[in-house]
Amino acid sequence: MEQDVTSPKALCVKNIVVSALAGTLTIAAMAQAASLPSRMGYSYYTEQFLALVLGLSLAIIFLVTGENKERARSGGDTALDWLLSVTGLGLSLYVMLAYPRLVSQAMSLPWDALLVGGALFLLVLEGLRRSVGWTLVIVVLVIVGYGMIGHLVPGALQTREVAPQRLAVYLAFDPNGLLGLTLNVAATVVVAFVFFGQLLLRSGGADFFNDIAMSTMGHKRGGAAKISIVASGLFGSISGVVVSNIVATGVVTIKLMIQSGFRRTTAGAVEAVASTGGQIAPPVMGAVAFLMADILQKPYSEIVVAAIVPALLYYVALFVQADLQAAKQDIKPLDLSDAPTTAAVLSRGWVFILPFAAIVTALFWFNQPAETSALWGGAAALMIGMTVGYGETRMVLRDLWAASVEAGKSITQIIMISAAAGFIIGVLNVTGLGFAATFALVDLGQGNVFVLLLISALVCLILGMGMPTVGVYLLLAVLIAPSLVQSGVEPIAAHLFIFYLGMMSMVTPPIGIGAFFAAAIAKASPMATAWESMRFGWTAYIVPFLFVFSPALLLIGDPMEIAIAVTSAVLGVYAISAAFVGWFHGPAGQGRRALVGLAGVALLLPPGIGGAHTLWINAAGFAVLALLWITARAERNDSPALTENGQG
């Protein structure tokens, strides 16, 4: 019979243990990012460090997400939870210490390698199930299972035969398996940026972001929604965790939106979409830009430059819809008589530019790795928090430990997903399934890139359900991106495509976790909020298809073509967004909405699709939109009610 300890003392003990484990995880990752062990003369395999991180993460996962979550929150963990926690940590430490011998004897399949490899596989799957649910567990089991029987399958999906015991050792100890690239990136780059975000926020950065959003946007119509967009976008770029972002900013912004007159579903949708989009906003992009740079072996600067226009179009659509919705509902600006001015906010908070400047300087001038650059930014944030702060907020030494603990706790989910991605990569490599799957997916598209993109988009949305975006990207970069690149898609475009579509699973029904959290705060219908979120974030479903066919939207190609494509796309996004809301310099009837929408579609088509013919379509769209604008403006000037209200 399982022991159930529910006393306050048990909860206190568990909290102390979890904090110690999480803090240790972050400290180990920061030491690795700073190359401290090698600087002190220690030589070791990277896989040994990764085994330590994996063990700490497993230990935390089993305690924080106990089998009975309600009891786990009150300290009532079962003996099984503690046993799994200790076992996961113990086996990982064994791998860390014995790794040189295990890897050198791997071909002879020693008994301890088989035992430990099999046990870690099961422990990671259980940790994965507890942290993100069954979806990814099933994906891993199906792929590993297929890897063992794939040699019996005739046709294009046939794989080479690999004995189960050899597969177990390969997945556990080979650098292409569990302790491979995905886990390494998560344990260094992602941890470093999560820690940087924690330091920045504890130094007063969160208050600065909220105040700058309030002072710049609060005096405009629908100011509450615009505050949400700016604050959540800034916060989300750093945090990279959509749900945490929604909870941190949404408790204030959603309430403001509802009080100012927005519907509850609209308030939840705006917050969910703004928080989700922070991950595509340069320069930090929730750390995915650095993962993409590592996987593609391209400079970080190329990823950031390519992401600028798609992010711009995403936020233009969101901002325009929020603005026009406010005009349609006659939602007034906020009363900011007691709020500080923009000049006052900047005079107190301009120093928060320095951490970002430190990251950019480290990356571009000193060619430092992403994780080291994050340490530079974290050091700057720490100094600012300790010396200057923001308003009444100052950091003390215990905040440094608290930031380490929080970073360690929040990264464990990503560690589990990265470990699972390592299993998948290992199977794809050792059995040849990766090549076979890429060939089969390309063949399914029948040589038609658009059909392949549609199939890939559907897979991205399904696989991304309920998972954090960094984990979604890591998984899709292994399963989907290679087939797109094989079909001739520009590698950066292929990876941004899967990133955008995977990201939107956070707000897409039926499991739009981000939209559901925002709906809970807004006390709105979860499904209604998710559907409205899709409307606000519509560009993330469409623009990826466009930049695949027209790299000009990724700022790749001829400058004149880029200028035309970007200008036309911005106008197209504005027009389609206006058609969605039904407001174009005043109320737009069904006929005008349809014409504005069609003009927007014509403008949104980039020159890379259809060449010179597309330019004529762009021109026609611009002419129709201009004519509709002039007509609507004249009608507004002839309407005293609209003119007095300043609606436009």
Side-chain angles (χ1 to χ4, degrees):
M1 184 175 179
E2 292 183 337
Q3 181 183 1
D4 183 7
V5 184
T6 57
S7 67
K9 182 179 179 180
L11 178 59
C12 181
V13 169
K14 187 187 82 166
N15 288 339
I16 291 173
V17 171
V18 169
S19 296
L21 293 168
T24 302
L25 192 160
T26 302
I27 292 170
M30 295 304 97
Q32 178 75 2
S35 302
L36 286 182
S38 59
R39 293 175 190 272
M40 297 172 65
Y42 292 102
S43 178
Y44 57 94
Y45 288 92
T46 301
E47 288 79 9
Q48 291 176 278
F49 158 71
L50 297 179
L52 172 63
V53 170
L54 177 66
L56 292 169
S57 299
L58 285 170
I60 295 168
I61 282 287
F62 290 126
L63 293 180
V64 173
T65 59
E67 188 60 35
N68 186 319
K69 294 184 179 181
E70 290 301 321
R71 286 193 314 186
R73 278 193 286 268
S74 64
D77 306 278
T78 65
L80 176 62
D81 297 326
W82 281 95
L83 177 62
L84 291 174
S85 178
V86 171
T87 303
L89 180 59
L91 289 177
S92 298
L93 291 177
Y94 179 80
V95 172
M96 182 186 74
L97 296 173
Y99 185 80
R101 177 183 61 80
L102 290 171
V103 75
S104 65
Q105 298 176 359
M107 294 301 293
S108 61
L109 305 178
W111 69 269
D112 57 340
L114 285 170
L115 180 63
V116 173
L120 282 177
F121 178 78
L122 296 176
L123 285 168
V124 168
L125 288 187
E126 174 61 11
L128 190 66
R129 183 191 69 82
R130 293 193 182 199
S131 56
V132 298
W134 278 103
T135 303
L136 189 51
V137 174
I138 293 172
V139 170
V140 173
L141 288 174
V142 168
I143 292 176
V144 172
Y146 191 91
M148 290 190 288
I149 65 169
H151 62 284
L152 303 175
V153 178
L157 286 177
Q158 188 175 54
T159 65
R160 72 172 65 97
E161 183 176 2
V162 181
Q165 62 269 29
R166 187 166 299 281
L167 182 61
V169 173
Y170 181 90
L171 293 182
F173 304 108
D174 193 89
N176 290 314
L178 171 64
L179 305 177
L181 172 65
T182 55
L183 188 58
N184 189 27
V185 171
T188 53
V189 178
V190 179
V191 175
F193 273 91
V194 170
F195 184 54
F196 161 68
Q198 286 292 324
L199 290 176
L200 186 65
L201 298 178
R202 290 173 186 275
S203 65
D207 295 334
F208 170 68
F209 291 156
N210 286 330
D211 285 352
I212 197 68
M214 183 81 71
S215 64
T216 55
M217 295 295 164
H219 63 280
K220 303 178 184 297
R221 70 182 178 197
K226 294 170 184 176
I227 289 170
S228 172
I229 294 169
V230 174
S232 299
L234 290 171
F235 190 93
S237 178
I238 298 166
S239 73
V241 183
V242 174
V243 171
S244 296
N245 191 13
I246 290 170
V247 172
T249 58
V251 291
V252 175
T253 59
I254 289 175
K255 182 179 178 181
L256 279 177
M257 284 187 274
I258 294 172
Q259 288 177 343
S260 65
F262 285 101
R263 298 194 322 267
R264 292 182 178 275
T265 53
T266 300
V270 169
E271 175 60 37
V273 175
S275 294
T276 300
Q279 300 167 107
I280 62 173
V284 179
M285 295 175 65
V288 170
F290 303 103
L291 302 179
M292 202 176 295
D294 275 355
I295 292 172
L296 290 173
Q297 293 297 295
K298 289 183 177 291
Y300 160 78
S301 57
E302 285 190 29
I303 308 298
V304 170
V305 169
I308 290 174
V309 174
L312 171 68
L313 298 178
Y314 182 94
Y315 276 102
V316 165
L318 178 56
F319 196 90
V320 166
Q321 289 179 88
D323 178 65
L324 297 183
Q325 192 72 48
K328 187 176 182 179
Q329 296 180 228
D330 192 21
I331 296 175
K332 303 297 184 183
L334 296 174
D335 180 10
L336 300 178
S337 55
D338 297 329
T341 63
T342 301
V345 173
L346 289 175
S347 67
R348 290 189 299 169
W350 67 268
V351 290
F352 288 102
I353 297 172
L354 298 180
F356 297 99
I359 291 175
V360 173
T361 300
L363 284 168
F364 296 111
W365 287 7
F366 293 94
N367 296 316
Q368 294 295 313
E371 59 271 25
T372 305
S373 303
L375 288 182
W376 285 38
L382 180 62
M383 287 189 291
I384 290 170
M386 291 284 192
T387 57
V388 180
Y390 182 76
E392 300 297 322
T393 303
R394 294 287 189 282
M395 286 186 71
V396 294
L397 283 177
R398 66 173 176 270
D399 288 325
L400 185 59
W401 173 250
S404 301
V405 171
E406 190 60 35
K409 287 180 181 178
S410 61
I411 196 61
T412 52
Q413 190 181 55
I414 303 299
I415 295 294
M416 290 299 102
I417 295 171
S418 301
F423 289 142
I424 294 172
I425 293 172
V427 173
L428 297 182
N429 284 337
V430 74
T431 65
L433 180 59
F435 175 79
T438 297
F439 179 82
L441 194 56
V442 171
D443 186 59
L444 185 62
Q446 299 179 344
N448 188 317
V449 176
F450 182 71
V451 173
L452 178 60
L453 289 173
L454 285 177
I455 296 170
S456 300
L458 182 61
V459 174
C460 290
L461 290 171
I462 292 173
L463 290 182
M465 288 180 180
M467 289 203 297
T469 303
V470 174
V472 175
Y473 170 73
L474 286 173
L475 179 62
L476 297 175
V478 174
L479 295 177
I480 303 299
S483 61
L484 296 177
V485 174
Q486 185 70 27
S487 298
V489 176
E490 172 74 28
I492 289 181
H495 280 257
L496 284 175
F497 180 90
I498 63 170
F499 174 32
Y500 274 55
L501 271 301
M503 173 190 77
M504 291 309 289
S505 65
M506 292 299 297
V507 297
T508 305
I511 310 177
I513 299 298
F516 291 175
F517 267 84
I521 297 173
K523 297 180 181 177
S525 164
M527 289 303 292
T529 303
W531 286 114
E532 192 157 355
S533 297
M534 288 184 69
R535 192 252 290 177
F536 276 108
W538 68 269
T539 55
Y541 300 99
I542 304 300
V543 170
F545 288 88
L546 301 182
F547 64 56
V548 164
F549 289 103
S550 181
L553 290 177
L554 300 179
L555 301 181
I556 299 173
D558 178 71
M560 181 57 69
E561 182 180 331
I562 291 172
I564 294 173
V566 173
T567 303
S568 181
V570 169
L571 291 173
V573 165
Y574 171 80
I576 295 174
S577 299
F580 275 138
V581 176
W583 190 271
F584 188 72
H585 257 310
Q590 294 299 322
R592 179 170 292 174
R593 288 178 74 171
L595 288 174
V596 171
L598 287 173
V601 171
L603 282 163
L604 196 57
L605 290 176
I609 302 177
H613 297 294
T614 306
L615 290 176
W616 285 108
I617 296 174
N618 293 157
F622 179 78
V624 171
L625 187 65
L627 180 61
L628 292 169
W629 177 275
I630 293 169
T631 303
R633 188 178 179 86
E635 291 178 2
R636 187 194 68 172
N637 291 335
D638 291 338
S639 173
L642 288 177
T643 303
E644 288 173 8
N645 291 336
Q647 307 278 348

